[in-house]
Amino acid sequence: MCRWLAYSGTPVLLDTILYQPAHSLIDQSLHARMGVETTNGDGFGIGWYAPESDDQGPAVFRDVGPAWSNRNLREIARHVRSPLFFAHIRATTGTAVQQTNCHPFRHGRWMWMHNGAISDFHRIRRDLALAVDPELFLDLEGSTDSEMMFYLALTFGLEKDPPSAVERMAGFVERVGHDHDVEFPLQMTVAVSDGERLWGFRYSSQGTSRSLFYSTAVETLRQLHPDITFLRGVSDETRLVVSEPLGDLPGAWNEVPESSYGVVEPGADQLHHFAPQAA
């Protein structure tokens, strides 16, 4: 499968999150602890929004090699500062290792990344593709189930109501899968953002979803660990959502409950139940 992280909060250099933690995402590309695979070397990607809002949407950098040895990624991480960014390391579930299959995926101001799989995707791919809005279908570039899920969610109204659109996407994938006698069609943790808010989803048809965690509120962490410099330099709004913890700091990480989604936004963040809907 894959590993990913999403950051929202005070603008920071990407290097601070991608490389510096003890169990950073770069370390996970070689030594994942909670993934199906220990090594995630089938490509990587980062996507980030500029510190000041503009109409250009996020920048995306993706490559097919492993993240741990990419000099360009290291260079970018040391010089790019962002208030909201995604990072993803890939372990393919069967689709080709190519740049258009690397996450995150982008459409306008929206970014999407995924860990998991649509079971027997090769069998149901055609039926899923036929449901994508014809105008959106022209923008599909790769061959992954992850990108297909993104464009289905866009078709079902992601830009207006992300939770409902993702629930409809999940419901549609499950219905098509069951029509093809796939017992457990969907396995997913998903991050999606419009540059202002961040949504994280954890769900699987079998009820045994891949791992997903969110960071404890910064004000609480400052009280627990007053000696950590990083915590003094970021706002109370700062939050991370990750496939697995970036370190072993006590009290820093909380598991996203099964069949749930969270919203990171100005003010109090929210956690809700997730249930697929009929599309």
Side-chain angles (χ1 to χ4, degrees):
M1 300 283 177
C2 308
R3 304 278 83 184
W4 59 256
L5 69 79
Y7 172 90
S8 176
T10 298
V12 296
L13 288 172
L14 274 56
D15 178 81
T16 306
I17 307 298
L18 291 183
Y19 285 90
Q20 294 184 20
H23 189 48
S24 69
L25 195 69
I26 304 304
D27 180 65
Q28 291 175 37
S29 65
L30 277 168
H31 307 294
R33 300 171 182 173
M34 298 180 177
V36 175
E37 296 87 4
T38 301
T39 303
N40 297 272
D42 296 324
F44 68 87
I46 53 174
W48 67 93
Y49 295 88
E52 295 184 7
S53 180
D54 55 43
D55 296 327
Q56 300 301 312
V60 173
F61 170 63
R62 302 180 293 182
D63 204 353
V64 297
W68 65 76
S69 61
N70 192 282
R71 298 178 65 185
N72 290 328
L73 176 61
R74 190 66 193 252
E75 184 73 9
I76 289 171
R78 287 171 172 167
H79 293 276
V80 169
R81 190 180 300 271
S82 173
L84 200 162
F85 61 88
F86 285 5
H88 186 281
I89 50 176
R90 184 171 184 242
T92 179
T93 55
T95 50
V97 178
Q98 60 192 44
Q99 195 174 101
T100 54
N101 283 347
C102 294
H103 310 222
F105 302 101
R106 173 182 60 187
H107 180 80
R109 286 199 56 79
W110 292 83
M111 280 201 301
W112 172 285
M113 60 184 174
H114 165 237
N115 173 37
I118 295 177
S119 299
D120 289 330
F121 179 57
H122 65 287
R123 292 174 52 201
I124 67 175
R125 178 181 174 185
R126 179 178 180 274
D127 287 359
L128 297 178
L130 288 173
V132 175
D133 183 295
E135 292 186 6
L136 291 170
F137 189 85
L138 298 175
D139 294 329
L140 268 167
E141 294 186 317
S143 58
T144 64
D145 51 357
S146 304
E147 188 182 22
M148 184 71 74
M149 291 164 63
F150 182 29
Y151 277 82
L152 284 169
L154 285 164
T155 298
F156 297 144
L158 182 72
E159 294 169 301
K160 294 181 178 179
D161 186 349
S164 178
V166 176
E167 288 179 334
R168 293 177 70 197
M169 177 277 294
F172 180 71
V173 169
E174 289 192 323
R175 180 174 69 79
V176 173
H178 292 152
D179 288 346
H180 288 263
D181 298 320
V182 180
E183 185 177 7
F184 301 117
L186 185 59
Q187 172 71 246
M188 70 174 207
T189 65
V190 164
V192 61
S193 180
D194 60 358
E196 298 179 4
R197 292 175 292 174
L198 164 65
W199 293 263
F201 299 85
R202 185 181 185 219
Y203 176 77
S204 63
S205 305
Q206 196 170 5
T208 54
S209 302
R210 300 293 180 249
S211 59
L212 192 64
F213 296 82
Y214 64 94
S215 60
T216 298
V218 169
E219 58 267 35
T220 301
L221 288 175
R222 289 196 197 102
Q223 295 174 10
L224 291 172
H225 306 284
D227 56 323
I228 296 181
T229 304
F230 174 78
L231 296 174
R232 297 197 294 269
V234 296
S235 72
D236 292 349
E237 300 283 353
T238 298
R239 185 81 72 175
L240 275 159
V241 184
V242 299
S243 292
E244 59 186 76
L246 305 185
D248 300 320
L249 190 67
W253 302 102
N254 313 273
E255 187 174 20
V256 175
E258 182 70 47
S259 300
S260 296
Y261 74 91
V263 187
V264 179
E265 58 188 350
D269 298 335
Q270 303 174 45
L271 193 62
H272 302 278
H273 178 66
F274 180 89
Q277 298 178 8

